[in-house]
């Protein structure tokens, strides 16, 4: 599908919920309408979603597949998405759910094989580039799943507690708890390293 081609330039730092083409409520969306709308969503959010998925699954190739599957799910369900201007929320949920499914299917042996050697460039560094410092990437990737997902959506995507809760299927109070524990663990790992560098 043409709307799944990777854009050459990263999207501008726009608002979290960007406008995508919509169809009049009284008319049934055509294939062309759906392609245009999902294509716009793809070009605005694909790179950021790949970065998130890479930290979740720890493999850039799998992360790209996760995001492709998520956009296909958005495309397939476009007629059911009532608020087209906020379709990105559905995309966030899809990326997280597809990533979870991939991780469930991955065996222990495959996870061990995916561990990088110290002299290799990490998968996270390749995918995120300058998006996050490498020490932070490693620390986030080692958080428990719920905390990792919450920290990524809440602070990397800058979603509110309510938006993060909707994307992860949690209550806002649970998001607050996971975020607090995740940040505390990140501080405990990163602060000693930072202090050591300053000496």
């Amino acid at each position: 599908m043409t709307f799944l081609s990777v854009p050459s330039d990263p999207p501008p730092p726009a608002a979290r919920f960007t406008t995508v083409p919509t169809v009049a409520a009284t008319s049934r969306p055509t294939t062309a309408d759906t392609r245009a709308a999902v294509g716009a969503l793809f070009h605005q959010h694909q790179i950021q979603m790949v970065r998130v998925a890479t930290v979740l699954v720890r493999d850039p190739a799998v992360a790209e597949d996760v995001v492709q599957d998520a956009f296909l799910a958005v495309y397939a369900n476009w007629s059911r998405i009532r608020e087209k201007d906020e379709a990105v929320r559905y995309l966030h949920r899809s990326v997280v759910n597809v990533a979870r499914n991939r991780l469930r299917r991955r065996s222990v042996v495959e996870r061990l094989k995916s561990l990088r050697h110290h002299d290799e460039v990490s998968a996270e560094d390749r995918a995120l580039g300058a998006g996050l410092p490498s020490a932070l990437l490693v620390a986030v990737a080692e958080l428990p799943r719920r905390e990792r997902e919450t920290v990524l959506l809440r602070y990397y995507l800058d979603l509110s507690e309510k938006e993060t809760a909707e994307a992860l299927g949690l209550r806002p109070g649970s998001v607050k708890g996971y975020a607090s524990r995740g940040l505390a663990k990140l501080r405990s790992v990163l602060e000693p390293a930072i202090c050591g560098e300053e000496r």
Side-chain angles (χ1 to χ4, degrees):
M1 284 183 242
T2 56
F3 71 83
L4 292 180
S5 60
V6 176
S8 57
D9 297 319
R16 294 193 305 276
F17 297 124
T18 50
T19 302
V20 296
T22 60
V23 182
T26 56
S27 64
R28 189 182 181 115
T30 64
T31 300
D33 293 330
T34 302
R35 280 182 182 271
V38 179
L41 192 71
F42 179 84
H43 287 287
Q44 291 164 358
H45 298 283
Q46 183 263 351
I47 291 176
Q48 195 174 43
M49 292 297 96
V50 169
R51 289 173 174 169
V52 168
T54 299
V55 179
L56 292 175
V57 300
R58 305 187 189 195
D59 185 319
V62 174
E64 289 181 5
D65 290 343
V66 164
V67 174
Q68 292 272 8
D69 288 350
F71 274 102
L72 287 172
V74 172
Y75 181 81
N77 292 286
W78 190 250
S79 62
R80 300 177 192 172
I81 300 173
R82 295 179 181 178
E83 298 178 8
K84 307 301 185 187
D85 290 344
E86 295 185 358
V88 69
R89 290 188 304 187
Y90 186 91
L91 175 63
H92 291 156
R93 287 195 301 274
S94 295
V95 168
V96 170
N97 289 335
V98 175
R100 286 175 181 171
N101 290 338
R102 292 294 180 112
L103 289 173
R104 285 189 194 107
R105 291 196 299 262
R106 188 182 294 173
S107 69
V108 174
V109 173
E110 289 171 333
R111 284 197 299 269
L112 292 175
K113 285 182 180 178
S114 72
L115 294 176
R116 67 182 178 91
H117 297 292
H118 293 295
D119 58 347
E120 293 178 348
V121 177
S122 73
E124 292 88 355
D125 287 345
R126 285 197 301 271
L128 297 177
L132 290 171
S134 59
L136 179 58
L137 282 173
V138 173
V140 170
E142 292 179 353
L143 290 174
R145 178 175 64 86
R146 286 289 197 190
E147 293 172 15
R148 182 170 65 246
E149 293 171 352
T150 301
V151 167
L152 281 171
L153 270 64
R154 181 79 178 88
Y155 300 106
Y156 180 67
L157 293 184
D158 197 27
L159 302 186
S160 68
E161 284 181 3
K162 181 180 178 183
E163 292 162 350
T164 303
E166 289 174 352
L168 298 178
L170 299 170
R171 293 177 307 209
S174 298
V175 166
K176 191 170 185 177
Y178 285 124
S180 177
R181 288 193 293 275
L183 290 178
K185 289 175 183 174
L186 291 178
R187 283 191 200 99
S188 71
V189 170
L190 297 174
E191 284 181 356
I194 293 170
C195 292
E197 290 175 0
E198 292 176 348
R199 289 178 184 173

